[in-house]
Amino acid sequence: MDLRDSSPSSTPNRDGNAGDDDGVLSVTSALAKDAALYFQSRKFAECVDVLNQLNSKKENDPKVLHNIAIAEFFRDGCSDPKKLLEVLNNVKKRSEELALASGEQVESGSNIGNNITSGSKGSGTTTSLPASNCASIIYADEFDSSVASLNIAVIWFYLHEYAKALSVLEHVYQNIEPIDETTALHICLLLLDVLLACRDASKSADVLNYMEKAFGVGNVSQGENDLAASVNASESPLSRTLSEDPLDEMFSTLDIGGQNLARHTGLTSANDLPRITVDRSISGVDLKLKLQLYKVRLLLLTRNVKLAKREVKHAMNIARGRDSSMALFLKAQLEYARGNHRKAIKLLMASSNRTDAAMSSMFNNNLGCIYYQLGKYHTSAVFFSKALSNCSSLQKEKPLKLLTFSQDKSLLITYNCGLQYLACGKPLLAAHCFQKASLVFYKRPLMWLRLAECCLMAVEKGLVKGSWAPSDRSEVRVSVIGKGRWRRLLIENGTTRNRHVDSVERDVWALGDDGQPKLSLPLARQCLYNALHLLNCSELSNSKSILPSDSSLEENELSDGASSKNSNYKNLPSNDSKASTMPAALINLNGDLKEPKGGTNQEGIQTFISYYEDICRRENQMIKQALLANLAYVELELENPLKALSAARALLELPGCSRIYVFLGHVYLAEALCLLNKPKEAAEHLSIYLSGESNIELPFGLEDCEQWQVKKHIDCEEANVGAAAAKNSSPEGLEDFMFLKPDEARGTLYANLAAVSAIQGDLERAHHFVTQALSLVPDSSEATMTAIYVDLMLGFIFQWCG
Amino acid sequence: MGKKMLNFEEQCKIVNLLKSSSEQKSIEETLTEFFTNPKLRHFNVCYSLSLLLQDKMMLSSTERLVAFAILHRSYSSQKSAANPFISFLVNAACDEGAENYERAFILHLLGFGNSNSSKEFLKQSASEYIKKFDPSSQTFPQKEQLQKQYLEKAHPEPYACLLKSTAVKNVLADPDVPPGCDVNSAEFDLEPGAKSKLGSGDRDEALSGLIANLSLEGLIPHWIRPLPPRFPVDEELVWLNPDNNHELQWDQGMCADTSRGAAVRDLIAKALRGPLAPNQQEQVLVELANDPKLVYHCGLTPRKLPELVESNPLIAVDVLIKLINSPEIAEYFTVLVNMDMSLHSMEVVNRLTTAVELPKEFVRTYITNCISSCENIKDKYMQNRLVRLVCVFLQSLIRNRIIDVKDLFIEVQAFCIEFSRIREAAGLFRLLKTLE
């Protein structure tokens, strides 16, 4: 029997114990040991065999079932994660039921004395173990389902279902203290990855902070980096032993017995380092590197470039001589975030072991990002498609590994592709990408905005049924009908307004050949509403969590900030944060100005997290402006002036609206009013840009357009090299800024004021404005049409019909 | 290009209709023939005709009459006010510049004057009507009168967009054709076989061209509606980093020895009932120190804490310190603060304050309880004992900066004054004074 050969260590053990007193227990535990050994040596088929023997002895034991499911999953080549999830969920449910039942038992049978004696033997036969009566209500060891929960979360994580993983993990994390070291560590690490994937900076910081203390990372190194910890260790006993003799004297006289006074000092560090016995499956330095890298990711997420730079350097130091591709990628990301594109490319080149499909897909994707930012959209397209083909070769790899699922980043890359197609003016392809990526991105307002932009671009380019090709739209046509004395002139304009309505409305939700909704204005409207809805939801939840911390600014922030931010974490972090502010406070007291290098202290974390939350809030505001502007535009196109009116109003009411969107808001609002027969009010809205009687100011300046321009930062470090490079690299896609120049915007205002004046019958004024407009936007067919209209009305063209 | 108002079939229909007006067919016949075609869109046809009628020179006189008749007939089943072209008809009837026969014809159509007039006049052809027309036989009413009669009961003015109602027709006479040129003069007519001369042209061609190109929309002032800019791509591109590997975990707890810590559980159970022997106590502390998780399995619950505190305060301290990060620690503190004041509980709290950071609120409440216990105790000896203990306790807390004196100043001061007979209370009072 090969079982014996492959696990020699277990055989004597089993033989020795089998005949002895506690028959069943020792047999099962021996089998369990065998199974574990097989599992570790990745002999999953044998492992399952042993487990099945075990299962026949301990029927329906959740832990056995759990391990069977895991082993079978590996044995079958990780092919069916959904099935594994199902089994694990059942195991978890069963464990919880059992735990609950045993908890009730404790409550009812509170007669301690009797059971204790039987328990002391430690050889209780089966489930009605002494453990159950003594076990605290918090935690029943035997029915602990934390490993099952962890595994469930792992699978969700690999399937990119971060929200589901998070809800499982958060539940476990709330009660993490009793969980054994190894599992707790894995839970924390996974939770960090999930939180970072969800871009939840503040919770990530909490967990990171907890881990640094709980797993005693500071102590693993020589302590050089964890000034805070060392200061704390040396400082606190000192301050505490100030408690002078009177007390001890008193207590001893009062007959308390000071047997264990010696322990007194030993206790001091207890709550700082409760998990000093770190799990050895991850070596101290590895763990330290891991945490450091998480920290860098958190800092990058929160756009704290400066700190990230320092921390990534530190990470590189720790990583010396190890596999540091992650560190290199992060460093490249940092340089990318700082706009040092050349340097970022160099780092990526250095890191990549490009034989690995997973790595090269990431490598290519990141290069694509860099070239996109450089304005070289076609180059970036090449890299994105390379990255995608890497992904598809990854999917073909056999045997499947669990990691393969998460390494398939094709949907993320597809999103990048969508952006790149949009930048290249290919709305149909872009929309296809976004629709694919929406499986992952459906909760992001920005994704829906992009989809709406695809619709608008497709309509604009005449790619949608019922819209006019740009060549038809942008010109005024005069055709001659008849000859000689019967000659008539027919003046037509491409931009006749009701071009879309009837042709498009018919098949609003028409699906294309690929089963995706066809691009259309109604689809754009739907997307914009989706985005607005998501944005409002997130605002609502944000305001809930932000309010308390806003009211308890500064000082309270230190101690209560973490706990008030997220009630889920109420117990642990509030204690933790207090503990961690202590060292910082001590440092300040001592006038020691050196910052703790390794440990970002809580105060700093709070500042940069609130800074990050500020950024997010501002970004959301920007998105909201764009959404409302687009919505107003779409409603006008769909001839819903009332809805356009309310969207434009909402846009103008947004606090801190950028000048470009204010301009658009006024223009759309005025047009909607005009369509609703309120030319006077419309004129008033446009007139805010009037200075004096008839001169219009620039509605916005070039500086307002900056956001839209391709960024070509040159970092000070490589200013010399970078400047030359930047000069050579003129963006391919013409000007990236696709909007009106300030002067053109001014012309637009003139033209629209002319239209409004004409409608009101003030033809002189209309004539003045339209002349101005044509000098600024000579190519505008609309302005030309208005000019023709005004001329006709003024009778400049001799004898017209009617 | 704007949408064409008429489809091809409709265009042919109209052209034929207009042509046939010059024949000797009666107007009635023409109309009947026209309306037997169910595919015609009446409004579009009528609107096109009205546009053509506005161009005074395009249609011949007979064509005009037929066109007017169609405008009227299309909506004759309803009240006159419901005819969308009623005001057009009324205006045409009152147009001083128009031919009188035309005006009279419209009045006939409208049934003005002789309301029960038969439709006899339609039985003749258009040209016959013109020929037979006797200008003296017709009086022309004032516009107001007509408006009153035909428009009064009209529906309220339907909603019309100002932008569009200000439209002018987008068909213009070619400005190159000299004004005042009489298109009907024979001057331009082509002699058969002669070379075409300047200004000649085929009216039919122009007419069908116009009909083919008429659109519902006129020329209106145009509004520039800028397309919103694409949202800037900032942090939106997804940067990819290598994943951390998270392996599925084997549950090591499977069939594990559940007797873990059984000895400690026994000892803790014993410790609830009475003080342990020093060696037993040592064993508990050592085992708890060896296995940091054991504390969660030692069988202690918040409800049992007071017994442990009273019997074995040092074990209680150790356990509480180890539970400090437990989610249940708040519950333990609540029990601790609410149990009867005693030497042991005070010792436990004192040791806790020196070992871990306690919640401020807990310490405060505990002190308040201490003070009130001192006041309520009856036994003088016990009271002295307790007061001395509380004083030493408070001094220690103050010296170690565990509490901020300001928070409790008045309470503690009152306590010192009440028990000033006791040496330690006086000492505490002096300490307070120095801090003031």
Side-chain angles (χ1 to χ4, degrees):
Chain A
M1 197 166 143
D2 60 356
L3 189 145
R4 278 160 198 259
D5 302 336
S6 57
S7 56
S9 66
S10 66
T11 9
N13 197 353
R14 199 165 37 145
D15 291 341
N17 283 349
D20 278 351
D21 45 350
D22 311 315
V24 186
L25 185 68
S26 59
V27 168
T28 53
S29 69
L31 281 174
K33 258 184 201 159
D34 286 351
L37 281 170
Y38 279 128
F39 184 80
Q40 274 158 23
S41 49
R42 306 189 75 78
K43 292 181 175 162
F44 300 116
E46 291 90 336
C47 180
V48 173
D49 284 345
V50 178
L51 284 172
N52 281 331
Q53 292 177 37
L54 199 52
N55 192 33
S56 63
K57 294 208 161 53
K58 289 188 88 177
E59 211 151 329
N60 284 332
D61 180 281
K63 285 179 188 256
V64 176
L65 293 177
H66 170 272
N67 286 344
I68 288 177
I70 300 285
E72 282 180 344
F73 179 72
F74 281 117
R75 185 194 62 190
D76 302 342
C78 306
S79 52
D80 194 352
K82 288 272 156 85
K83 185 184 142 207
L84 176 58
L85 262 180
E86 203 179 303
V87 177
L88 291 183
N89 274 319
N90 286 335
V91 165
K92 191 178 163 213
K93 219 186 322 146
R94 172 100 184 109
S95 297
E96 280 161 0
E97 280 165 12
L98 287 173
L100 202 70
S102 80
E104 276 160 10
Q105 218 176 321
V106 177
E107 287 301 288
S108 59
S110 57
N111 187 357
I112 312 157
N114 287 342
N115 293 328
I116 283 296
T117 42
S118 75
S120 63
K121 289 231 164 89
S123 60
T125 35
T126 35
T127 35
S128 66
L129 283 166
S132 62
N133 67 52
C134 295
S136 63
I137 304 156
I138 346 165
Y139 187 68
D141 195 16
E142 201 190 358
F143 309 116
D144 163 44
S145 59
S146 59
V147 179
S149 299
L150 170 64
N151 286 335
I152 290 170
V154 165
I155 297 164
W156 283 130
F157 174 75
Y158 280 137
L159 296 176
H160 299 281
E161 293 274 10
Y162 302 124
K164 286 177 181 160
L166 185 59
S167 78
V168 175
L169 285 175
E170 278 193 309
H171 188 73
V172 188
Y173 180 72
Q174 275 177 52
N175 201 358
I176 197 160
E177 279 302 324
I179 298 172
D180 75 278
E181 298 297 330
T182 320
T183 315
L185 180 62
H186 287 300
I187 288 171
C188 286
L189 289 172
L190 181 62
L191 181 56
L192 264 179
D193 268 320
V194 171
L195 284 170
L196 286 170
C198 294
R199 307 206 286 183
D200 190 328
S202 110
K203 284 183 192 171
S204 308
D206 286 340
V207 177
L208 201 53
N209 186 39
Y210 168 76
M211 285 186 76
E212 284 189 340
K213 284 188 285 77
F215 296 98
V217 177
N219 276 21
V220 176
S221 74
Q222 287 71 43
E224 42 153 4
N225 296 310
D226 289 75
L227 206 58
S230 57
V231 166
N232 185 32
S234 63
E235 195 69 19
S236 42
L238 250 177
S239 63
R240 255 79 197 253
T241 39
L242 281 179
S243 60
E244 276 172 33
D245 325 280
L247 179 76
D248 292 336
E249 213 177 290
M250 182 80 175
F251 274 29
S252 56
T253 55
L254 290 173
D255 160 47
I256 290 172
Q259 311 116 299
N260 268 314
L261 273 181
R263 293 187 54 81
H264 185 82
T265 39
L267 290 175
T268 47
S269 59
N271 73 326
D272 292 325
L273 304 164
R275 284 184 192 269
I276 265 181
T277 46
V278 182
D279 164 42
R280 293 299 154 191
S281 70
I282 299 177
S283 85
V285 186
D286 280 348
L287 180 60
K288 194 173 166 62
L289 176 59
K290 257 186 190 213
L291 289 186
Q292 189 65 23
L293 293 175
Y294 278 117
K295 197 183 291 172
V296 174
R297 281 168 66 192
L298 174 61
L299 289 167
L300 282 172
L301 171 69
T302 55
R303 323 231 176 123
N304 194 329
V305 176
K306 226 174 116 188
L307 251 180
K309 195 179 173 192
R310 202 172 68 187
E311 297 294 336
V312 88
K313 213 178 232 168
H314 187 46
M316 299 297 270
N317 282 338
I318 305 173
R320 205 169 290 149
R322 270 158 226 276
D323 171 37
S324 57
S325 57
M326 167 95 103
L328 278 165
F329 265 67
L330 284 172
K331 200 162 180 218
Q333 188 184 5
L334 172 69
E335 297 302 337
Y336 165 77
R338 299 167 76 211
N340 282 336
H341 297 127
R342 268 169 46 90
K343 205 165 174 182
I345 294 173
K346 234 159 121 193
L347 283 163
L348 282 178
M349 296 287 197
S351 73
S352 173
N353 104 50
R354 258 161 287 167
T355 49
D356 176 34
M359 280 303 265
S360 42
S361 83
M362 288 183 261
F363 170 78
N364 285 321
N365 172 74
N366 293 348
L367 277 184
C369 292
I370 294 171
Y371 281 106
Y372 184 100
Q373 294 290 9
L374 287 168
K376 302 200 167 189
Y377 303 125
H378 299 292
T379 319
S380 84
V382 172
F383 282 112
F384 286 142
S385 66
K386 263 191 191 173
L388 279 176
S389 69
N390 292 146
C391 278
S392 57
S393 72
L394 188 66
Q395 281 155 6
K396 286 181 209 122
E397 241 171 56
K398 296 271 170 186
L400 277 171
K401 278 181 292 177
L402 189 52
L403 194 61
T404 313
F405 289 101
S406 81
Q407 278 175 337
D408 179 11
K409 313 265 185 177
S410 55
L411 290 180
L412 308 181
I413 302 168
T414 304
Y415 187 86
N416 288 346
C417 278
L419 283 176
Q420 170 264 321
Y421 281 131
L422 203 56
C424 293
K426 295 176 181 164
L428 298 182
L429 289 173
H432 190 70
C433 290
F434 289 131
Q435 279 160 345
K436 251 176 148 180
S438 65
L439 282 173
V440 177
F441 288 84
Y442 65 97
K443 275 196 167 166
R444 295 235 192 121
L446 209 46
M447 196 278 300
W448 292 105
L449 174 59
R450 293 299 179 198
L451 207 46
E453 284 177 351
C454 290
C455 293
L456 289 183
M457 189 186 272
V459 169
E460 176 74 11
K461 292 193 165 235
L463 300 171
V464 170
K465 215 166 91 188
S467 67
W468 303 100
S471 58
D472 289 336
R473 283 160 44 89
S474 57
E475 55 187 27
V476 178
R477 300 185 154 200
V478 178
S479 34
V480 176
I481 293 167
K483 289 197 191 107
R485 55 192 159 153
W486 299 107
R487 231 152 74 143
R488 295 290 188 275
L489 300 184
L490 183 74
I491 301 176
E492 282 178 312
N493 184 0
T495 55
T496 349
R497 285 308 183 196
N498 58 357
R499 63 208 145 118
H500 310 293
V501 179
D502 51 2
S503 54
V504 172
E505 212 84 74
R506 257 184 295 121
D507 43 21
V508 175
W509 288 112
L511 298 180
D513 300 334
D514 54 354
Q516 301 285 6
K518 276 185 190 159
L519 300 191
S520 68
L521 285 171
L523 179 64
R525 170 166 62 189
Q526 196 54 50
C527 291
L528 293 171
Y529 277 126
N530 284 354
L532 274 174
H533 176 74
L534 289 170
L535 208 55
N536 289 338
C537 286
S538 77
E539 261 172 27
L540 215 64
S541 59
N542 274 349
S543 65
K544 265 182 208 155
S545 66
I546 282 164
L547 275 180
S549 74
D550 277 355
S551 60
S552 64
L553 275 170
E554 305 279 323
E555 47 195 271
N556 288 348
E557 193 86 353
L558 292 180
S559 54
D560 304 336
S563 57
S564 67
K565 278 242 168 62
N566 28 49
S567 48
N568 282 344
Y569 288 64
K570 49 185 182 269
N571 285 321
L572 294 171
S574 62
N575 284 328
D576 295 341
S577 64
K578 270 172 206 156
S580 73
T581 50
M582 233 166 25
L586 283 171
I587 292 162
N588 290 342
L589 272 176
N590 295 345
D592 186 349
L593 291 176
K594 267 184 259 167
E595 280 179 80
K597 270 193 228 156
T600 19
N601 59 51
Q602 192 69 8
E603 186 176 7
I605 289 172
Q606 283 308 326
T607 338
F608 78 68
I609 282 176
S610 63
Y611 170 76
Y612 170 65
E613 279 166 353
D614 256 11
I615 294 179
C616 290
R617 230 168 293 150
R618 245 177 291 135
E619 270 177 3
N620 282 343
Q621 273 174 8
M622 268 295 285
I623 295 175
K624 201 165 189 184
Q625 293 170 28
L627 289 174
L628 287 171
N630 277 287
L631 190 60
Y633 177 84
V634 168
E635 294 290 7
L636 282 174
E637 289 281 305
L638 290 171
E639 302 205 310
N640 292 320
L642 263 179
K643 286 184 177 171
L645 186 76
S646 66
R649 282 230 164 93
L651 172 61
L652 289 174
E653 279 163 11
L654 287 182
C657 202
S658 87
R659 286 175 79 197
I660 286 181
Y661 285 116
V662 169
F663 160 75
L664 285 176
H666 282 300
V667 170
Y668 297 151
L669 186 58
E671 184 177 355
L673 285 168
C674 207
L675 289 170
L676 294 166
N677 286 355
K678 291 176 175 171
K680 209 168 151 253
E681 287 176 46
E684 278 166 16
H685 265 283
L686 296 177
S687 304
I688 62 156
Y689 291 110
L690 269 181
S691 75
E693 247 318 276
S694 53
N695 185 38
I696 288 180
E697 294 166 347
L698 287 178
F700 52 85
L702 273 175
E703 68 277 6
D704 296 304
C705 310
E706 260 169 25
Q707 262 179 301
W708 274 269
Q709 271 145 358
V710 182
K711 267 179 242 151
K712 274 167 275 167
H713 300 289
I714 299 148
D715 189 56
C716 46
E717 276 178 29
E718 49 174 5
N720 299 326
V721 202
K727 259 178 217 154
N728 296 334
S729 62
S730 67
E732 281 174 41
L734 297 169
E735 263 296 293
D736 195 40
F737 184 60
M738 301 288 278
F739 192 58
L740 302 172
K741 310 253 175 329
D743 252 342
E744 292 167 342
R746 193 161 155 244
T748 301
L749 287 170
Y750 272 123
N752 289 350
L753 261 175
V756 149
S757 308
I759 288 160
Q760 286 174 299
D762 189 346
L763 294 171
E764 290 297 331
R765 207 166 142 84
H767 185 253
H768 164 79
F769 284 136
V770 84
T771 315
Q772 294 284 330
L774 282 174
S775 72
L776 291 165
V777 281
D779 293 338
S780 158
S781 65
E782 291 94 342
T784 312
M785 286 302 275
T786 306
I788 294 172
Y789 175 87
V790 171
D791 282 353
L792 285 175
M793 292 299 277
L794 286 170
F796 283 0
I797 292 178
F798 197 68
Q799 198 203 12
W800 47 284
C801 310
Chain B
M1 279 187 284
K3 278 185 300 135
K4 297 295 171 270
M5 192 154 37
L6 300 173
N7 59 34
F8 184 68
E9 195 189 346
E10 287 163 335
Q11 291 168 20
C12 298
K13 199 81 188 164
I14 289 192
V15 171
N16 289 337
L17 168 89
L18 293 174
K19 272 189 187 150
S20 69
S21 71
S22 56
E23 295 161 14
Q24 287 309 310
K25 232 187 263 175
S26 77
I27 299 176
E28 185 64 46
E29 267 177 86
T30 319
L31 288 179
T32 318
E33 189 192 324
F34 183 75
F35 283 112
T36 46
N37 189 339
K39 280 188 188 165
L40 288 183
R41 292 172 298 171
H42 287 181
F43 181 80
N44 290 31
V45 170
C46 290
Y47 190 68
S48 310
L49 288 174
S50 76
L51 288 177
L52 290 173
L53 284 167
Q54 280 171 43
D55 183 338
K56 285 185 176 150
M57 278 164 292
M58 191 48 79
L59 295 180
S60 71
S61 49
T62 53
E63 287 166 350
R64 288 179 70 84
L65 292 194
V66 172
F68 278 121
I70 288 176
L71 286 190
H72 180 253
R73 179 62 68 87
S74 289
Y75 295 89
S76 60
S77 59
Q78 295 155 47
K79 278 188 286 184
S80 65
N83 187 336
F85 299 98
I86 189 67
S87 49
F88 179 75
L89 290 172
V90 166
N91 287 341
C94 304
D95 185 0
E96 303 278 344
E99 298 287 347
N100 278 342
Y101 59 78
E102 189 177 300
R103 297 173 63 193
F105 182 76
I106 298 169
L107 290 175
H108 263 123
L109 283 174
L110 292 172
F112 180 75
N114 47 343
S115 54
N116 56 351
S117 85
S118 60
K119 300 286 179 190
E120 280 301 307
F121 72 100
L122 294 177
K123 298 250 165 81
Q124 46 195 332
S125 72
S127 48
E128 271 170 0
Y129 182 89
I130 297 172
K131 228 179 283 168
K132 288 185 190 161
F133 177 71
D134 175 11
S136 58
S137 70
Q138 184 70 48
T139 53
F140 293 102
Q142 289 297 303
K143 191 175 184 176
E144 288 72 29
Q145 193 189 342
L146 281 177
Q147 279 177 335
K148 201 173 166 194
Q149 187 169 345
Y150 296 104
L151 297 177
E152 200 177 33
K153 287 157 278 174
H155 302 291
E157 189 72 5
Y159 177 81
C161 174
L162 202 51
L163 196 64
K164 292 188 175 155
S165 56
T166 51
V168 294
K169 253 176 44 176
N170 62 344
V171 180
L172 319 174
D174 189 331
D176 292 341
V177 177
C181 161
D182 181 1
V183 286
N184 289 318
S185 80
E187 180 193 344
F188 299 112
D189 289 345
L190 282 178
E191 305 289 326
K195 261 174 57 184
S196 71
K197 54 183 168 181
L198 182 72
S200 73
D202 183 6
R203 189 186 69 100
D204 287 348
E205 185 196 338
L207 186 61
S208 46
L210 271 183
I211 288 173
N213 282 294
L214 286 173
S215 80
L216 274 167
E217 289 139 32
L219 253 182
I220 50 173
H222 273 265
W223 198 276
I224 300 185
R225 185 186 295 160
L227 188 69
R230 261 193 306 118
F231 195 72
V233 175
D234 205 10
E235 304 279 332
E236 198 180 347
L237 289 165
V238 188
W239 178 278
L240 298 177
N241 286 317
D243 281 310
N244 287 302
N245 197 2
H246 297 280
E247 285 292 346
L248 289 173
Q249 295 297 313
W250 178 262
D251 195 335
Q252 304 286 359
M254 176 177 70
C255 306
D257 180 12
T258 37
S259 64
R260 169 186 178 187
V264 170
R265 271 200 298 276
D266 287 352
L267 286 173
I268 291 279
K270 234 180 247 170
L272 297 178
R273 282 167 288 162
L276 295 180
N279 65 328
Q280 288 176 321
Q281 192 170 337
E282 189 60 31
Q283 189 192 347
V284 170
L285 295 176
V286 167
E287 288 211 22
L288 283 179
N290 288 343
D291 181 354
K293 293 296 169 193
L294 189 57
V295 70
Y296 296 99
H297 308 276
C298 70
L300 186 70
T301 64
R303 274 192 316 169
K304 296 176 188 163
L305 181 67
E307 298 163 39
L308 186 65
V309 167
E310 285 309 326
S311 316
N312 290 283
L314 281 175
I315 292 181
V317 170
D318 198 56
V319 167
L320 285 174
I321 287 170
K322 291 203 158 55
L323 284 172
I324 199 71
N325 286 325
S326 142
E328 296 227 317
I329 191 68
E331 225 172 295
Y332 284 103
F333 281 151
T334 313
V335 171
L336 187 57
V337 88
N338 287 322
M339 64 182 281
D340 287 336
M341 202 50 54
S342 72
L343 191 62
H344 285 181
S345 90
M346 214 176 297
E347 190 199 6
V348 167
V349 172
N350 185 54
R351 286 195 186 258
L352 278 178
T353 61
T354 60
V356 293
E357 182 97 342
L358 291 173
K360 276 204 164 55
E361 201 42 48
F362 167 76
V363 179
R364 263 192 76 129
T365 317
Y366 190 79
I367 292 171
T368 312
N369 284 359
C370 285
I371 291 174
S372 63
S373 298
C374 288
E375 285 158 356
N376 294 336
I377 208 162
K378 291 288 179 297
D379 185 326
K380 262 279 182 279
Y381 174 71
M382 286 307 288
Q383 191 183 47
N384 278 359
R385 231 174 109 92
L386 198 58
V387 169
R388 288 173 66 200
L389 195 57
V390 168
C391 288
V392 175
F393 177 58
L394 284 174
Q395 282 188 27
S396 157
L397 292 184
I398 291 168
R399 288 212 173 107
N400 289 332
R401 302 211 181 94
I402 305 281
I403 55 165
D404 190 350
V405 197
K406 276 178 241 140
D407 292 344
L408 286 160
F409 194 80
I410 296 177
E411 217 175 334
V412 175
Q413 202 177 34
F415 169 77
C416 292
I417 291 167
E418 186 177 351
F419 297 102
S420 53
R421 61 191 157 82
I422 296 170
R423 188 164 56 92
E424 281 79 5
L428 178 60
F429 190 75
R430 276 196 302 278
L431 179 65
L432 283 180
K433 284 293 156 198
T434 62
L435 291 170
E436 226 176 342

